[in-house]
Amino acid sequence: MIQSISGTTTVVGVLGFPVAHSLSPVMHNAAFAALGLDWVYVPFPVAPDRVTAAVSGLSGLGIRGVNVTIPHKQAVLPLLDRLTPEAEQISSVNTIAVTEAGLLGHSTDGTGFLRALTERGFCVAGAQVVVLGAGGAARAVVGALASSLATSVTLVARTPERGEALAALALRVSQGRTHARVVPFDDEARYAVAQAQLLVNTTPVGMAPYAVDDMPIPPSWLHRDLLVYDLVYTPRETALLHAAAGIGCRTIDGVAMLVYQGAEAFSLWTGAVAPITIMESAVTDFLRQASSSIR
Ligand code: NAP
């Protein structure tokens, strides 16, 4: 796919640990090829004790920008010159742009998450939402829901302290206008799902190569007025999404958020409109080949 790399090729990439599983190189390199850009996207495995060295070397190496993934999204914060308001609000950075004014930290996860909802005509303002899980991805999701003024966000968390931290984030971002609470995976959660219009799974339950038939909640909790959004994208149709579609729910899979957060990073670095369809096809083709080679 990459034609050739020369002294004029612009380099971007992703810092993570591990990073070999990342689909971002496939997605971005397909986009560069489609637009005829002399750019390349490289995965950089960076151990936690090497993050400072890696980030401080970006500018000197002429690297134009990087995505940041697990486990570095919070560790890079003190290493940057400026943060966008979104990144500052949720204390998480997934994209660094190397600019003349220094290193600028963005979070495109939340806008990527919201764009898939907007494209399906779902209005977050005024909605009652249930979020399953309270880890790193949930931070961006909850920040986005609160900034869009969801009426309520019920965090279903097995570790209450992590849920409470995100409930506090929702209150802060929405300036008290989004009601946020934490419940365990029990009847309280079941009741919240019954009242909700949007259910978001941010747990890894159902993700390959683990038990792909597992669901984070019993299918009997679902109702057909729910929009069910699963951040897991391997497999693309998780057991949760399969069950939801089976009873007539609308669904959104994790590829949508992956592609939209990547598209925004692509535009921040290149200044070009991202070729969304190409990026989505690259990810989908890769996932299809990967799943057929496992079988
Ligand atoms: P993380 O930081 O490890 O958080 C996972 C959360 O799920 C934690 O709150 C954890 O609970 C909870 N959890 C894990 N197993 C559970 C179980 N069996 N039952 C109930 N809760 C459980 O992981 P992450 O970075 O947020 O990623 C989560 C998932 O989202 C992954 O599958 C990842 O691939 C996906 N993701 C997708 C996108 C996208 O663009 N589509 C972006 C980011 C992440 P504890 O707090 O108790 O550990």
Side-chain angles (χ1 to χ4, degrees), residues 73 84-87 89-90 92-95 106-118 124 136-148 169 173 198 200 229 231 256-258 260-262 264-265:
K73 287 186 179 184
T84 61
E86 291 81 12
Q89 267 178 343
I90 64 167
S92 174
V93 161
N94 81 330
T95 304
H106 299 259
S107 177
T108 69
D109 283 330
T111 41
F113 166 76
L114 285 177
R115 184 164 167 188
L117 287 170
T118 310
V124 173
R139 173 164 286 273
V141 166
V142 169
L145 292 168
S147 68
S148 300
L169 172 76
V173 170
L198 174 63
V200 187
Y229 194 155
L231 265 52
M257 175 169 164
L258 180 74
Y260 289 137
Q261 63 76 31
E264 195 181 333

Side-chain angles (χ1 to χ4, degrees), residues 116 120 228-233 235-238 241 251-258 280:
R120 281 151 184 84
V228 181
Y229 194 155
D230 199 338
L231 265 52
V232 174
Y233 49 78
R236 191 165 183 177
E237 187 185 60
T238 58
L241 292 186
T251 62
I252 302 179
D253 63 51
V255 169
M257 175 169 164
L258 180 74
E280 183 177 351

